[in-house]
Amino acid sequence: MEGNQKQEPRNKTGILYEMESKKARDAERSKKKKGRVVASLMPAFLIYILLVAGMEALSFLSAYCWVFFAPLCAVLCALPVVYMTKKHKNIGVFAAIGIFWCIVTAVMGIKLSFSGLIIAIIAMAVSELIRRILGYGSKEGICFGYGAAALLPLSHQVFLWTDTTEYMNALAKLAGEKYVDRLGSFATEIILFLMIIGTVAVGYFSARFAVRYIKMDKKSPEEQA
């Protein structure tokens, strides 16, 4: 009896030690998986930001480039975003793109209006919801999700329709009166509606094109041991 009583605490201690060790191993494995995910997605994130920032800079060359800024970004950014959604077959890609974009623009000194912030939040939420409903490994989930996420750059443009006079006065100092006069002709609700519909449509079809040329990995970084 005395021997059994002496061994019992040791057995309990051994079980607890194994449980704690297993939790520690699982935590370390999870940390490594997250690190692989971040490492595999970061180059595509940077390419996305550079493409959008580059197109925004080019928009000052012509009022037409500014008006079609969001649809053009939808075309150019389809490849890096589709790459990310195929690499990370789980929740969070579109939300991470939106958050990363907002952080970068804030660092650059570009402030979003309330309407712009609402557009960014809706674009992130709807794109994530679509992908969740249609499936994270589904091509349609990627394409429809990207169609909604393609509205993110529009959050910078919405000033034209929500704060037209103030925006035009500020822009006149940078781009000139001729540029502002031409741009002002697009400051209508119909153009805004067409811009939203057109950007979503262009994003969807650009994603369908990109899906064909980016091979689906057998295993995502999360699934690799």
Side-chain angles (χ1 to χ4, degrees), residues 14 41 50 58 66 69 132 162 174 187:
L41 300 186
L50 288 174
L58 289 175
W66 192 98
F69 165 63
R132 179 177 177 83
T162 59
L174 297 174

Side-chain angles (χ1 to χ4, degrees), residues 17-94:
Y17 177 77
E18 290 180 4
M19 291 176 64
E20 291 175 357
S21 297
K22 186 177 183 301
K23 287 182 180 179
R25 289 194 300 271
D26 290 343
E28 184 65 24
R29 191 178 296 112
S30 177
K31 185 177 180 180
K32 289 181 179 179
K33 288 180 180 179
K34 289 179 181 178
R36 283 196 294 269
V37 171
V38 172
S40 65
L41 300 186
M42 188 54 67
F45 270 122
L46 294 176
I47 291 172
Y48 174 86
I49 295 298
L50 288 174
L51 287 173
V52 177
M55 286 305 303
E56 190 159 11
L58 289 175
S59 67
F60 285 98
L61 297 177
S62 169
Y64 295 105
C65 290
W66 192 98
V67 172
F68 293 104
F69 165 63
L72 287 172
C73 287
V75 174
L76 294 176
C77 297
L79 283 171
V81 174
V82 169
Y83 172 83
M84 285 187 275
T85 55
K86 284 193 170 187
K87 276 284 186 181
H88 183 62
K89 304 180 186 73
N90 211 327
I91 189 172
V93 171
F94 292 127

Side-chain angles (χ1 to χ4, degrees), residues 81-82 84-90 94 127-146 204 207-208 211 216-217:
V81 174
V82 169
M84 285 187 275
T85 55
K86 284 193 170 187
K87 276 284 186 181
H88 183 62
K89 304 180 186 73
N90 211 327
F94 292 127
S127 58
E128 286 291 346
L129 182 62
I130 288 173
R131 198 174 179 213
R132 179 177 177 83
I133 293 173
L134 297 181
Y136 293 109
S138 164
K139 291 181 180 180
E140 292 303 316
I142 293 173
C143 295
F144 279 109
Y146 178 66
Y204 171 79
R208 287 193 69 87
V211 164
M216 186 76 75
D217 292 338

